[in-house]
Amino acid sequence: DPSLYPVAVLIDELKHEDIQLRLNSIRRLSTIAVALGPERTRNELIPFLNESIDDEDEVLVALAEELGGFVEYVGGLEYAPVLLGPLETLATVEETLVRDKSVEALNKVSRQVPVAHLLEH
């Protein structure tokens, strides 16, 4: 599918050696998510991001910021708990700024999710 080529480029940039390319790609995660659709975002992008949490602090801060606004991209409130895993992982990173941003994002996501959903996860 040629329409997914830009997405493939962005995903390759997420793995790139150059921190600036990784940052640019993180800042465009919403573009990747829209192109993939909610199901593939949940099943492919979020797990990929969760495995990529071993990165520079600057990239992890950007990732936490982006994931905090990702509820709509994973399919809405019903699926928002898939964001909790990567954000919880980010909240355990040694760097204070990364932890602070991930806690902000966790709060942002959890404020949107019904309590019953949070208790299940």
Side-chain angles (χ1 to χ4, degrees):
D1 183 351
S3 68
L4 289 179
Y5 179 73
V7 174
V9 170
L10 288 174
I11 288 174
D12 281 346
E13 287 179 2
L14 284 171
K15 299 181 267 187
H16 201 278
E17 198 174 292
D18 182 339
I19 187 171
Q20 198 55 53
L21 285 176
R22 289 197 313 273
L23 269 173
N24 291 343
S25 197
I26 291 286
R27 297 269 181 235
R28 290 201 226 91
L29 277 178
S30 59
T31 304
I32 296 172
V34 167
L36 291 175
E39 187 174 342
R40 288 188 68 198
T41 296
R42 288 191 306 272
N43 297 334
E44 297 171 36
L45 183 59
I46 299 299
F48 171 78
L49 293 172
N50 204 25
E51 292 168 13
S52 304
I53 291 183
D54 182 24
D55 204 336
E56 302 289 329
D57 293 338
E58 191 177 358
V59 174
L60 298 180
V61 166
L63 179 58
E65 290 172 349
E66 292 299 316
L67 289 178
F70 240 62
V71 171
E72 68 181 287
Y73 303 118
V74 295
L77 296 178
E78 180 182 350
Y79 299 103
V82 303
L83 299 170
L84 300 179
L87 288 172
E88 287 169 353
T89 302
L90 286 168
T92 66
V93 170
E94 190 175 326
E95 173 57 41
T96 306
L97 185 57
V98 175
R99 285 197 317 260
D100 290 349
K101 287 294 179 189
S102 59
V103 169
E104 277 177 36
L106 276 165
N107 287 333
K108 186 175 178 182
V109 170
S110 63
R111 276 194 301 269
Q112 299 175 57
V113 178
V115 173
H117 271 66
L118 289 175
L119 294 176
E120 291 171 18
H121 302 277

